[in-house]
Amino acid sequence: MKELYISDLEKETGVSKRDIYNQIRIIDFYKQFGIKSMSDLPNGVSNGSTAKILSQRQYNYLKEKIENDLSFRKNDDPMDGKDCVYVVDLCPEGFTVIGDQKQRRFKIGYTSKSPRKREKDFRVTNPEATIVMEMEMGTDEEQVLLKYINGNSCKRIGGTELFDVEDVDDFLNKITEFFESLK
């Protein structure tokens, strides 16, 4: 039987691990399963990191809570309804291999809706896609950003919003630097 982790629940529901852990502390999860803290759950390895293993019953309980309990959704996306530029890591588990080349690919996009909803849209075709950064910016700033970062630790793919990234930290730092310069 496949081991189940909070990260599996995150992928399936779109609710972040942090929000799931925060809500576990609030809801009656501990009482329901006769444990005192998360440290009482067994350890396993998920994506190369130590993680807590959930039983099928615990996993289903949390999934049902997420789907039916508005307290999981109370921390709705603060960017919802605002002009937002987001950065999506299209392969957070590692690299994509195209031809003989390893590539880390990111997409920069704009939305005036919730970035979390956009992330769910991406996960329909790419279950591992993860928004790693979001900033309150409009479409004009997004267009300048696309030009600003091109060639700085990354290469823009044609005229698209996709980038092959050589140095992820430098790439994200350049985006932060640009955003900070707008303040």
Side-chain angles (χ1 to χ4, degrees), residues 37-76:
S37 70
M38 289 302 285
S39 63
D40 293 340
L41 294 173
N43 287 324
V45 176
S46 174
N47 300 321
S49 299
T50 301
K52 296 296 181 183
I53 299 172
L54 298 171
S55 70
Q56 185 68 56
R57 204 170 125 240
Q58 291 166 335
Y59 185 90
N60 291 342
Y61 176 81
L62 289 170
K63 182 178 173 196
E64 182 179 21
K65 282 285 193 183
I66 289 168
E67 292 171 350
N68 298 321
D69 188 347
L70 293 179
S71 67
F72 270 97
R73 306 286 179 190
K74 75 175 179 183
N75 297 330
D76 266 351

Side-chain angles (χ1 to χ4, degrees), residues 10-15 66 73 114-127 129 131:
E10 176 187 40
K11 286 178 185 174
E12 188 171 346
T13 65
V15 174
I66 289 168
R73 306 286 179 190
S114 167
R116 288 185 187 174
K117 289 177 185 164
R118 289 294 298 133
E119 184 176 65
K120 285 182 182 180
D121 293 342
F122 284 112
R123 288 185 171 180
V124 169
T125 56
N126 181 355
I131 291 181

Side-chain angles (χ1 to χ4, degrees), residues 124-139:
V124 169
T125 56
N126 181 355
E128 290 149 11
T130 303
I131 291 181
V132 295
M133 185 181 284
E134 49 192 64
M135 301 141 293
E136 194 170 343
M137 278 194 265
T139 54

